[in-house]
Amino acid sequence: MPKNIKIFCGPNNYTLKSVYFEEPDEFIVGVDSGLDYLIENEMHIDLAIGDFDSVNPLYLHKIKAESKQVIELEKAKNMTDLAYAVDYIYNSMDYETMTVFGGIGGRIDHLLANLNILKKYDVKFCDNRTVMYALKKGKHQIDNYHQYISFFAIEDCYNLSIKGFRFEINNYYLSTNDSLCVSNSGSGIIEFSKGRILIISSDDQFQ
């Protein structure tokens, strides 16, 4: 059983050395234009999935020949290629973690669709300067290695306490339309009794 699912998708606005390290128990998935990135970096592909409409035509034969498994989707469908890939893996594989490289930036509508993936599945998104993931109720230690960290309720959060960061709050009700907890910094502990919270750690584009 692979422990760590690693999904590469577009936009390809990240560098391998910044976001990826190889592990012996990983399972590599390429989704549509993310497959270009895997081919260009000479990485193995366990699963290629998508309608391949954004794949470089020069790579398509190589992708199909060298991938251990290929799932080619119809162009007309009811979910994005990435949403299909995440749902397929969630329902057909045993694993411990799932990370998506890419999926941040690019088209705003695709970003919003990817936020919906975060609401439904336990998955982390990352690129060179951003990490996004969601947490369920409870107490969580957060080690933040980026310039900023922000907290958004994707379900209303009750009794939210944020400790150890630059800005702290105690027993706060954070609703889904409340942006109070944007642009914090540092590391610390968050705790809440009900709801789900979106964590976004990020750096300025130019530093």
Side-chain angles (χ1 to χ4, degrees):
M1 178 190 77
K3 290 184 178 180
N4 302 303
I5 307 295
K6 299 180 180 181
I7 303 175
F8 293 80
C9 69
N12 299 329
N13 56 357
Y14 51 93
T15 54
L16 280 181
K17 66 179 180 180
S18 297
V19 299
Y20 166 80
F21 61 94
E22 185 176 359
E23 297 175 289
D25 51 4
E26 66 187 11
F27 186 88
I28 301 296
V29 182
V31 177
D32 233 61
S33 63
L35 288 159
D36 289 354
Y37 199 69
L38 294 176
I39 291 295
E40 289 165 358
N41 284 276
E42 299 181 337
M43 294 180 61
H44 78 276
I45 303 170
D46 293 302
L47 171 62
I49 189 166
D51 56 25
F52 306 140
D53 64 347
S54 57
V55 169
N56 186 331
L58 298 176
Y59 296 155
L60 190 55
H61 176 76
K62 186 177 179 69
I63 289 168
K64 291 184 176 182
E66 297 186 3
S67 301
K68 292 183 179 179
Q69 182 184 1
V70 177
I71 299 177
E72 187 165 0
L73 306 175
E74 297 291 336
K75 289 181 172 55
K77 51 190 179 296
N78 294 325
M79 59 177 66
T80 65
D81 292 329
L82 179 59
Y84 188 100
V86 171
D87 186 74
Y88 173 82
I89 292 165
Y90 177 82
N91 286 295
S92 64
M93 295 181 64
D94 292 322
Y95 61 91
E96 292 184 2
T97 67
M98 184 187 301
T99 303
V100 175
F101 300 99
I104 305 169
R107 286 172 50 181
I108 296 298
D109 53 343
H110 280 187
L111 175 60
L112 292 174
N114 292 341
L115 289 175
N116 284 334
I117 293 175
L118 278 170
K119 294 177 183 179
K120 189 174 181 180
Y121 304 96
D122 184 10
V123 59
K124 178 171 69 175
F125 282 76
C126 63
D127 65 11
N128 282 4
R129 60 190 185 93
T130 305
V131 175
M132 300 194 308
Y133 56 95
L135 293 174
K136 298 178 181 179
K137 67 179 182 179
K139 187 175 184 179
H140 307 274
Q141 170 68 44
I142 297 179
D143 298 316
N144 172 42
Y145 301 102
H146 293 266
Q147 184 178 5
Y148 304 107
I149 185 167
S150 298
F151 307 92
F152 298 94
I154 51 179
E155 296 174 5
D156 289 350
C157 289
Y158 293 79
N159 307 116
L160 173 64
S161 294
I162 297 176
K163 302 296 184 182
F165 297 88
R166 181 183 179 188
F167 304 111
E168 297 186 343
I169 57 174
N170 188 52
N171 290 329
Y172 184 75
Y173 167 67
L174 185 69
S175 70
T176 55
N177 60 359
D178 189 340
S179 298
L180 173 71
C181 299
V182 69
S183 294
N184 209 328
S185 61
S187 299
I189 294 173
I190 70 166
E191 185 174 8
F192 53 104
S193 62
K194 183 180 179 181
R196 293 189 71 205
I197 199 161
L198 174 67
I199 312 296
I200 302 178
S201 295
S202 59
D203 298 312
D204 284 326
Q205 186 167 3
F206 303 105
Q207 296 192 71

